[in-house]
Amino acid sequence: MKLKKQVTVCGAAIFCVAVFSLYLMLDRVQHDPTRHQSGGNFPRSQISVLQNRIEQLEQLLEENHEIISHIKDSVLELTAHAEGPPVLPHHKPNGSWVLPPESCPSFLSVSPQDCQFALGGKGQSPDLQMLAVYSLLPFDNQDGGVWKQGFDITYEPSEWDTEPLQVFVVPHSHNDPGWIKTFDKYYYDQTQHILNSMVLKMQEDPRRRFIWSEISFFSKWWDNISSQKRAAVRRLVGNGQLEMVTGGWVMPDEANSHYFAMIDQLIEGHQWLEKNIGVMPRSGWAVDPFGHSSTMPYLLKRSNLTGMLIQRVHYAIKKHFAATQNLEFMWRQTWDPDTSTDIFCHMMPFYSYDVPHTCGPDPKICCQFDFKRLPGGRINCPWKVPPRAITDANVAERAQLLLDQYRKKSKLYRSKVLLVPLGDDFRYDKPQEWDAQFLNYQRIFDFLNSRPNLHVQAQFGTLSDYFDALYKKVGIVPGMKLPGFPVLSGDFFSYADREDHYWTGYYTSRPFYKSLDRVLEAHLRGAEILYSLALAHTRRAGADSRYPLSDYALLTNARRNLGLFQHHDAITGTAKEAVAVDYGVRLLHSLNNLKRVIINAAHYLVLGDKDTYHHDPAAPFLGTDDTRPSQDSLPERTVLRMDTLPRFLVVFNPLEQERLSVVPVLVDSPHVRVLSEEGQPLPSQLSARWSSATDTVPDVYQVSVLARLPALGLRVLQLHKSLDGHTMLKSSVRLYLHGRDLPVRKQEVVPMHVFPAAADDFCLENQHLHACFSGRSGLLQSIRRAGEEREQRVSSEFLVYGTRTSKDKSGAYLFLPDGEAKPYAPKDPPVVRVTEGPLFSEVASYYQHVQTVVRLYNVPGVEGLSLDLSCLVDIRDHINKELALRFSTDIESDDTFFTDLNGFQIQPRRYQRKLPLQANFYPMPAMAYIQDAQSRLTLHTAQALGVSSLSSGQLEVILDRRLMQDDNRGLGQGLKDNKRTCNRFRLLLERRTTASKVQDGRPISFPSLLSHITSMHLNAEALVMPVAQEKPALRSFTPLSTTLPCDFHILNLRMLQAEDDSLPSAEAALILHRKGFDCSLEAKNLGFNCTTSQGKLALGSLFQGLELGSLQPTSLTLMYPLGTASNSTSIHLDPMEIATFRIRLG
């Protein structure tokens, strides 16, 4: 009776909230300030405003309708279960499973204000929108003469009479932290010599300049030099001769890298620079990443950099921008309602960043001014005209020739300030080269500058010298908006450097390591957060002397190894085989170290009596969830030995939201009961462990437990050996051999039926979804959402791309297919295995080169709303083939699809028929989707891969590629070191409501909240750690005292280093991201119990049992304080923004 009363009160309260929110919405629409626009052109503006208002009202009403129906569902759910539910799942007569109801049915209500952002419409549109530029260009690749991919440039000598040309020659050396050689080999063979010569040679003449970008190399060198040398470096930096550009750990790939890792390597570099040299980078330098993402300008801008440079952009775009003087622009985020994300960007105009392609349009002439190529050296000019040393006799003629190139290059830009890079890969490694370049150029500069009639001022400069001179010309403070330059939004994928050579292969190359990268990233984030929390709690308790603070060195090492792997020849899969192994060894070493950090933190945090805490490195308190025998092996899950004594598990949820998840555990006995910490039985499912299509692993069983895991917390579970076999719910298996004569090894305990033929088509369902499969292939055919009549065709198939027969073939970088993909045709039909059970059901299809498992979780909320999909790929016997997975639907997506950039934002794409097939592939680090007015289908991924939509309703992803030859981009190898690789996905079908038509015309799109949270579930799996020793009293650990808003993500909570850099200081960096989301996708029964808060968050009371000692907003990488540290601990974030706070917890 009491419960009924509670239900009524609860229902009434929810109803009141909904009605009140509708009132507020209407009120807001009436009092919207944007209505009071200038009344000059009365009728039209008023009508369009009215029209907008009506559309918004419709949308708001629709949302409110959603909320009300959701309330109804919640109340019904509450009432239905008011009579005391059965504790465990039970079987209904029709064969389906019924789960116990949720103790707290979740209720999601997104406030209407939070839905406005995705509707957009604020702010002016940019002058250059990259999606539109692509549609505009003919991509005809005409011969442009000496500048082959451009055009002839002409000028009048008198053009500089009133305003002389100001030339900055910027010496640089591009050092790859691993490519042809490993990081260490490059350092010992080349980089240390470059930096040693730099200190020596720069001091010889104060007019010399040099820039450096890779802190990974610089810090290694710093650790090996004397204090005198360090002082000299600080002097060179201080007087402006040496500039640290970008200042990241590496110059990251911008296609496959995830924004967590991009930010992390930037912080690692910036923190190192601040601590050791006391310098803050001002300008970004990215000459070698293979295409450029718009995430990078955002991160640089939020780190307080004021200018940036990019180089590898499609040659047709370079030509177009050069012809329209748009090579320099303000780069703005597509979602930015004002100008707060604008950063000044310089695009280099020619083919490469080497000397022949940087002084001007004619490489044959520019090469003559690369004085490393003087006759007698190891390298020469391919254009057959060697450089000549500059003498009094030839300086006039040589200087005039070079000035002609400078003037022509200058015509492509709007200002009379010119940037001329002078360098190449691993340049300036010998004193002789420093002399050859600097002495010869100084002679040219002295000559030019002493002739007023030439109207030119030439000098060595750093990148910031160039940007400063440009700003000074315009009379603007660096960082402010430059008048007279276009605003651009969008990105620069996909890249082609010549002909139809599109660099779209590296989006998938070496997928094994792309996957390992993300596993390490998830562990690093989890370890950082848990270490920070454990440290704050031990300090508060005065127990930090007993805690392994030295784990901080393991964190630093992992940050640096993950940072190193973001390099544009590492995560891209474009390094030599031995170098890939070196990266793999580093990643695995750090992964194992992070498991230790997590175990040590979890040990302290779950102890009931903290006084009993004792850290013994030789006997860890917790075991690991899995092990990897070597850097190229898949993880092997730990099997728990069951005894008469109960076993305990500690489960870590790295998400900032509570989650209801199915937690898998391997045990050596089928007779197991799973209890909560308090001793309540938990729903669990017993299934067999399979070693192949038809063989079970003897004496190993999988127990899958349904557990509610606290946000960022640790949950304690107990496993008891039970003698009565009835408590565990078993799954049942149907095995279809498809006419193949195969021996089957069964397990007695798990019911199994073997069918010699193929199955008929069949379906699986949970309370949210109904998924149907082909009996012949075992592959997905259609999905129907609960409560809907219409089945959505979502058929999947495997395809194979070959490569061309001509001399140019696919390799590590390039995708050059021999036409459209052909169906994958294995020599045997698949074995199909169907497992059904109370918590999950799945279909496994075993083909010769790929095993695929589609799993449906029978769980309320997020886990049950999408299909879990994994592909275990092994193409080691393929020759010049690429394996793709294609989904075909009847979604009318036309030529439009959407891919994410770095897991940070969504970029709409258009299939361009005028371009070759390979040009239409894009990076997919986290998700891709297609949609029409009714539906959106999203493919979420746990690893970066290449994706495309080659015709309406299709989405396809390249799973792996094996290529036997080099593709002539310097690597000198094919891709032949393929591994058995597991690719993991989630497939989410959502219904769109009608109000979203307004947005479809705009080059901007956002995932739904459900989509964001699904992506997080996929990328941050719960970690299961068995308690190794006799169990003292354990208590689950719940760090957060309130639920975070649904759209807030704790990107990191990272302890900052103390003076001794192997130890943590008292401060941490808290990095928050507020996600932009689209409300127009139906949100019923989502199973999250968070709401949104218009970007407001009270940090003071967020961490349970800890006080927030101080809170200082800073720039992204903590280099600059923003505003003053106030006593208020409440913060506000706009949608899409990432913000860093320097905090003290204790």
Side-chain angles (χ1 to χ4, degrees):
M1 196 59 218
K2 195 172 172 197
L3 190 56
K4 280 233 168 103
K5 211 176 204 172
Q6 283 176 341
V7 169
T8 320
V9 172
C10 178
I14 294 170
F15 186 70
C16 294
V17 169
V19 172
F20 184 58
S21 67
L22 181 59
Y23 166 73
L24 282 178
M25 289 189 296
L26 293 168
D27 188 54
R28 195 167 174 279
V29 172
Q30 281 166 352
H31 297 116
D32 200 302
T34 49
R35 289 190 61 178
H36 308 299
Q37 292 177 338
S38 57
N41 49 354
F42 171 73
R44 179 160 301 175
S45 71
Q46 293 295 67
I47 287 169
S48 69
V49 167
L50 255 174
Q51 223 167 354
N52 276 343
R53 288 290 153 256
I54 289 167
E55 275 165 3
Q56 278 180 353
L57 244 180
E58 277 175 359
Q59 171 129 358
L60 296 175
L61 280 166
E62 191 148 345
E63 279 155 19
N64 214 63
H65 178 70
E66 291 269 310
I67 292 168
I68 300 277
S69 68
H70 195 139
I71 293 168
K72 239 170 26 196
D73 287 357
S74 297
V75 174
L76 284 171
E77 202 177 326
L78 269 170
T79 324
H81 306 313
E83 300 309 322
V87 177
L88 290 172
H90 58 283
H91 222 193
K92 280 210 321 225
N94 68 0
S96 67
W97 285 93
V98 179
L99 279 175
E102 277 296 88
S103 49
C104 45
S106 49
F107 167 61
L108 170 86
S109 146
V110 175
S111 88
Q113 295 96 303
D114 289 330
C115 294
Q116 292 302 310
F117 177 73
L119 297 172
K122 293 200 192 92
Q124 326 119 307
S125 45
D127 308 294
L128 301 166
Q129 166 46 250
M130 288 311 299
L131 208 54
V133 171
Y134 258 82
S135 300
L136 182 83
L137 295 186
F139 293 95
D140 50 0
N141 194 21
Q142 292 178 352
D143 190 330
V146 292
W147 174 20
K148 217 165 171 42
Q149 297 171 326
F151 45 84
D152 277 332
I153 307 170
T154 55
Y155 63 86
E156 295 297 323
S158 60
E159 286 183 46
W160 291 273
D161 288 2
T162 51
E163 194 185 345
L165 181 64
Q166 205 178 347
V167 180
F168 289 92
V169 172
V170 179
H172 70 97
S173 178
H174 179 66
N175 282 238
D176 289 307
W179 180 39
I180 303 301
K181 302 177 186 176
T182 64
F183 173 77
D184 286 337
K185 187 113 176 68
Y186 270 138
Y187 173 78
Y188 291 116
D189 291 358
Q190 282 148 295
T191 305
Q192 63 169 336
H193 305 302
I194 296 168
L195 292 167
N196 286 332
S197 321
M198 183 264 302
V199 179
L200 209 63
K201 290 294 177 182
M202 296 286 279
Q203 295 181 84
E204 289 179 5
D205 186 339
R207 295 171 297 181
R208 293 182 177 178
R209 298 286 183 273
F210 195 63
I211 63 171
W212 188 267
S213 76
E214 298 81 10
I215 305 303
S216 48
F217 275 129
F218 203 87
S219 70
K220 187 175 173 73
W221 174 66
W222 188 263
D223 290 342
N224 288 301
I225 59 174
S226 66
S227 53
Q228 290 89 332
K229 225 177 221 184
R230 289 179 179 183
V233 171
R234 290 190 185 104
R235 276 196 305 279
L236 290 170
V237 170
N239 68 18
Q241 279 186 267
L242 169 65
E243 183 184 16
M244 309 306 281
V245 286
T246 312
W249 201 246
V250 297
M251 183 187 292
D253 171 42
E254 299 181 21
N256 302 293
S257 51
H258 192 260
Y259 77 122
F260 173 96
M262 290 171 88
I263 293 170
D264 207 64
Q265 64 85 32
L266 200 57
I267 292 176
E268 198 55 36
H270 286 187
Q271 290 290 296
W272 188 92
L273 283 172
E274 187 176 41
K275 184 169 184 285
N276 293 284
I277 303 184
V279 64
M280 304 174 183
R282 294 174 48 209
S283 305
W285 172 265
V287 289
D288 203 24
F290 325 140
H292 292 280
S293 161
S294 47
T295 305
M296 207 63 199
Y298 175 76
L299 300 181
L300 296 181
K301 172 73 174 190
R302 290 292 175 257
S303 304
N304 261 22
L305 277 74
T306 52
M308 63 183 292
L309 170 146
I310 60 176
Q311 148 62 20
R312 289 194 186 268
V313 171
H314 195 300
Y315 60 86
I317 289 171
K318 287 191 174 216
K319 176 182 176 176
H320 174 65
F321 280 11
T324 50
Q325 285 191 325
N326 284 332
L327 288 164
E328 290 183 319
F329 48 84
M330 299 304 293
W331 198 345
R332 179 179 300 167
Q333 297 305 308
T334 47
W335 41 264
D336 184 4
D338 47 44
T339 61
S340 82
T341 61
D342 289 15
I343 183 170
F344 185 72
C345 182
H346 171 101
M347 182 189 291
M348 291 168 60
F350 306 124
Y351 173 73
S352 166
Y353 54 82
D354 61 7
V355 184
H357 296 95
T358 44
C359 89
D362 190 344
K364 181 177 177 179
I365 293 172
C366 292
C367 196
Q368 298 170 46
F369 294 89
D370 181 358
F371 296 102
K372 184 185 169 101
R373 303 181 196 240
L374 282 166
R378 283 212 314 236
I379 54 167
N380 52 24
C381 284
W383 296 269
K384 305 286 190 287
V385 186
R388 300 210 296 267
I390 305 300
T391 62
D392 290 346
N394 70 10
V395 66
E397 174 265 328
R398 302 268 74 189
Q400 197 66 52
L401 186 62
L402 185 57
L403 178 59
D404 175 60
Q405 288 298 306
Y406 286 171
R407 284 173 168 173
K408 283 175 174 165
K409 182 175 180 180
S410 163
K411 289 288 288 177
L412 307 178
Y413 292 90
R414 298 185 182 199
S415 83
K416 297 281 199 290
V417 188
L418 182 65
L419 173 67
V420 180
L422 181 72
D424 202 342
D425 291 4
F426 295 96
R427 280 302 187 89
Y428 301 98
D429 61 341
K430 294 191 173 58
Q432 298 84 314
E433 185 185 351
W434 285 85
D435 292 342
Q437 304 285 28
F438 280 92
L439 296 173
N440 282 302
Y441 267 96
Q442 197 57 60
R443 286 177 197 131
I444 293 173
F445 296 162
D446 291 345
F447 176 83
L448 291 173
N449 298 343
S450 65
R451 300 285 187 284
N453 60 317
L454 293 178
H455 302 288
V456 61
Q457 172 71 42
Q459 66 206 66
F460 292 116
T462 62
L463 184 57
S464 291
D465 288 340
Y466 167 73
F467 284 135
D468 287 346
L470 191 64
Y471 275 103
K472 194 172 168 190
K473 262 297 198 243
V474 192
I476 296 281
V477 183
M480 302 307 285
K481 179 165 168 40
L482 279 164
F485 287 91
V487 171
L488 175 143
S489 73
D491 70 334
F492 297 99
F493 292 119
S494 288
Y495 167 60
D497 57 347
R498 55 179 187 253
E499 297 150 34
D500 60 355
H501 293 192
Y502 283 84
W503 296 43
T504 52
Y506 83 95
Y507 301 156
T508 292
S509 298
R510 294 198 170 110
F512 179 89
Y513 294 108
K514 286 176 163 66
S515 174
L516 184 55
D517 161 78
R518 292 278 274 278
V519 172
L520 181 63
E521 179 183 297
H523 277 76
L524 177 58
R525 179 179 165 274
E528 296 272 20
I529 292 171
L530 221 46
Y531 178 81
S532 301
L533 292 171
L535 204 53
H537 281 282
T538 53
R539 282 174 172 166
R540 192 173 171 87
D544 46 334
S545 57
R546 292 185 286 139
Y547 191 79
L549 297 179
S550 55
D551 279 359
Y552 191 75
L554 303 182
L555 282 174
T556 301
N557 173 264
R559 293 167 181 174
R560 293 178 173 184
N561 280 337
L562 181 70
L564 185 71
F565 195 67
Q566 304 314 304
H567 161 55
H568 57 262
D569 290 304
I571 192 171
T572 52
T574 56
K576 289 262 194 207
E577 287 178 16
V579 179
V581 169
D582 181 64
Y583 288 134
V585 168
R586 290 168 183 270
L587 295 177
L588 180 61
H589 174 71
S590 287
L591 183 60
N592 290 333
N593 281 345
L594 291 173
K595 286 185 187 289
R596 271 177 52 196
V597 176
I598 289 170
I599 283 168
N600 291 340
H603 177 189
Y604 180 81
L605 294 169
V606 294
L607 274 184
D609 178 3
K610 304 280 190 253
D611 293 339
T612 62
Y613 175 74
H614 170 66
H615 169 65
D616 178 1
F621 180 72
L622 298 166
T624 57
D625 50 338
D626 60 26
T627 50
R628 292 175 183 246
S630 67
Q631 56 88 24
D632 59 354
S633 51
L634 290 168
E636 296 172 5
R637 290 187 25 219
T638 309
V639 180
L640 279 189
R641 305 273 162 240
M642 295 304 297
D643 209 340
T644 47
L645 288 172
R647 292 294 310 254
F648 290 83
L649 299 175
V650 175
V651 186
F652 172 42
N653 169 22
L655 295 186
E656 59 281 284
Q657 296 294 346
E658 180 181 83
R659 76 205 271 182
L660 183 66
S661 281
V662 174
V663 177
V665 189
L666 293 186
V667 290
D668 64 353
S669 160
H671 306 298
V672 179
R673 281 187 312 141
V674 187
L675 307 177
S676 69
E677 176 186 1
E678 302 78 24
Q680 293 296 316
L682 292 172
S684 47
Q685 170 176 334
L686 181 77
S687 33
R689 178 79 173 152
W690 296 85
S691 58
S692 73
T694 54
D695 286 346
T696 57
V697 183
D699 302 323
V700 177
Y701 305 87
Q702 176 161 306
V703 175
S704 305
V705 189
L706 183 61
R708 185 171 283 286
L709 308 175
L712 293 177
L714 300 159
R715 172 101 193 253
V716 178
L717 304 177
Q718 6 180 348
L719 268 66
H720 290 255
K721 198 157 183 174
S722 72
L723 301 168
D724 55 333
H726 299 298
T727 47
M728 178 67 67
L729 294 153
K730 296 172 184 171
S731 47
S732 61
V733 175
R734 302 196 303 276
L735 192 60
Y736 298 95
L737 299 181
H738 223 121
R740 292 165 65 182
D741 183 18
L742 296 167
V744 176
R745 187 162 61 185
K746 299 185 184 185
Q747 259 177 350
E748 294 308 309
V749 202
V750 179
M752 187 193 307
H753 301 285
V754 180
F755 300 90
D760 296 330
D761 292 358
F762 59 93
C763 302
L764 297 177
E765 64 180 331
N766 64 11
Q767 68 244 60
H768 302 295
L769 297 172
H770 179 85
C772 296
F773 298 81
S774 150
R776 289 191 60 73
S777 69
L779 301 179
L780 184 66
Q781 294 299 306
S782 68
I783 303 174
R784 194 181 80 231
R785 291 158 41 98
E788 289 182 12
E789 291 300 303
R790 203 171 134 265
E791 275 205 325
Q792 175 73 63
R793 181 171 75 94
V794 184
S795 63
S796 51
E797 59 184 320
F798 292 104
L799 302 159
V800 176
Y801 284 98
T803 190
R804 299 184 176 174
T805 49
S806 61
K807 70 172 178 43
D808 296 311
K809 292 181 167 60
S810 298
Y813 302 88
L814 306 183
F815 180 31
L816 294 170
D818 58 356
E820 293 188 3
K822 320 250 182 324
Y824 166 63
K827 64 175 199 291
D828 294 310
V831 171
V832 176
R833 189 177 68 236
V834 184
T835 304
E836 291 193 66
L839 298 183
F840 71 84
S841 299
E842 68 181 21
V843 182
S845 312
Y846 284 75
Y847 289 90
Q848 188 185 347
H849 302 97
V850 59
Q851 301 165 24
T852 166
V853 179
V854 181
R855 180 178 284 198
L856 198 54
Y857 284 105
N858 191 17
V859 174
V862 180
E863 297 280 17
L865 283 157
S866 56
L867 289 174
D868 192 88
L869 173 66
S870 63
C871 296
L872 183 59
V873 177
D874 184 354
I875 56 166
R876 286 174 294 185
D877 62 351
H878 274 180
I879 291 181
N880 276 328
K881 297 276 191 288
E882 315 201 14
L883 186 67
L885 170 61
R886 177 183 292 169
F887 297 95
S888 303
T889 72
D890 33 28
I891 292 172
E892 293 168 7
S893 57
D894 297 329
D895 58 359
T896 303
F897 58 111
F898 303 80
T899 67
D900 75 292
L901 289 168
N902 317 102
F904 174 62
Q905 56 184 332
I906 298 292
Q907 177 63 48
R909 307 288 183 195
R910 203 161 284 138
Y911 174 74
Q912 298 284 355
R913 279 174 184 72
K914 62 188 168 190
L915 293 178
L917 180 143
Q918 65 270 20
N920 288 291
F921 275 80
Y922 292 94
M924 175 182 63
M927 69 177 81
Y929 53 83
I930 51 172
Q931 65 184 24
D932 59 16
Q934 276 76 47
S935 309
R936 175 184 290 182
L937 181 73
T938 308
L939 180 67
H940 288 278
T941 178
Q943 58 289 306
L945 297 167
V947 74
S948 188
S949 170
L950 300 176
S951 66
S952 184
Q954 278 186 8
L955 205 50
E956 75 176 70
V957 53
I958 308 280
L959 299 173
D960 199 2
R961 40 204 322 262
R962 182 171 171 83
L963 302 157
M964 312 317 282
Q965 62 285 312
D966 181 48
D967 50 8
N968 301 310
R969 292 305 182 275
L971 179 60
Q973 277 185 353
L975 277 182
K976 296 186 273 195
D977 56 350
N978 304 68
K979 324 277 178 224
R980 287 179 73 235
T981 300
C982 186
N983 291 318
R984 295 174 42 244
F985 308 100
R986 282 279 176 94
L987 200 58
L988 175 65
L989 178 66
E990 296 175 285
R991 189 164 67 83
R992 297 184 83 204
T993 55
T994 47
S996 52
K997 296 200 178 57
V998 194
Q999 294 143 263
D1000 283 0
R1002 300 171 55 242
I1004 177 168
S1005 185
F1006 298 95
S1008 65
L1009 271 178
L1010 172 61
S1011 193
H1012 279 306
I1013 294 178
T1014 301
S1015 180
M1016 310 272 275
H1017 275 233
L1018 176 62
N1019 281 284
E1021 292 188 300
L1023 291 183
V1024 184
M1025 297 168 281
V1027 177
Q1029 306 161 348
E1030 289 298 300
K1031 167 213 169 270
L1034 300 182
R1035 254 210 323 265
S1036 290
F1037 168 65
T1038 306
L1040 303 185
S1041 52
T1042 52
T1043 303
L1044 224 59
C1046 300
D1047 52 350
F1048 269 77
H1049 173 45
I1050 296 179
L1051 198 59
N1052 210 345
L1053 176 61
R1054 169 188 167 121
M1055 290 306 301
L1056 299 174
Q1057 61 182 20
E1059 270 314 296
D1060 169 358
D1061 58 14
S1062 65
L1063 292 172
S1065 69
E1067 292 186 316
L1070 173 65
I1071 309 174
L1072 297 174
H1073 175 204
R1074 183 178 171 204
K1075 304 203 166 193
F1077 62 91
D1078 183 345
C1079 292
S1080 71
L1081 293 116
E1082 188 193 46
K1084 249 182 16 189
N1085 295 332
L1086 291 188
F1088 14 110
N1089 47 4
C1090 52
T1091 60
T1092 58
S1093 60
Q1094 293 85 65
K1096 291 193 281 289
L1097 178 61
L1099 283 176
S1101 55
L1102 185 60
F1103 296 101
Q1104 196 161 292
L1106 294 173
E1107 278 170 30
L1108 194 60
S1110 63
L1111 173 71
Q1112 168 68 60
T1114 69
S1115 59
L1116 184 62
T1117 58
L1118 299 114
M1119 301 281 261
Y1120 299 86
L1122 302 177
T1124 50
S1126 72
N1127 290 335
S1128 163
T1129 55
S1130 287
I1131 58 142
H1132 174 268
L1133 273 190
D1134 284 326
M1136 291 303 293
E1137 292 292 355
I1138 301 173
T1140 302
F1141 302 89
R1142 194 185 279 271
I1143 67 169
R1144 208 176 272 255
L1145 274 179

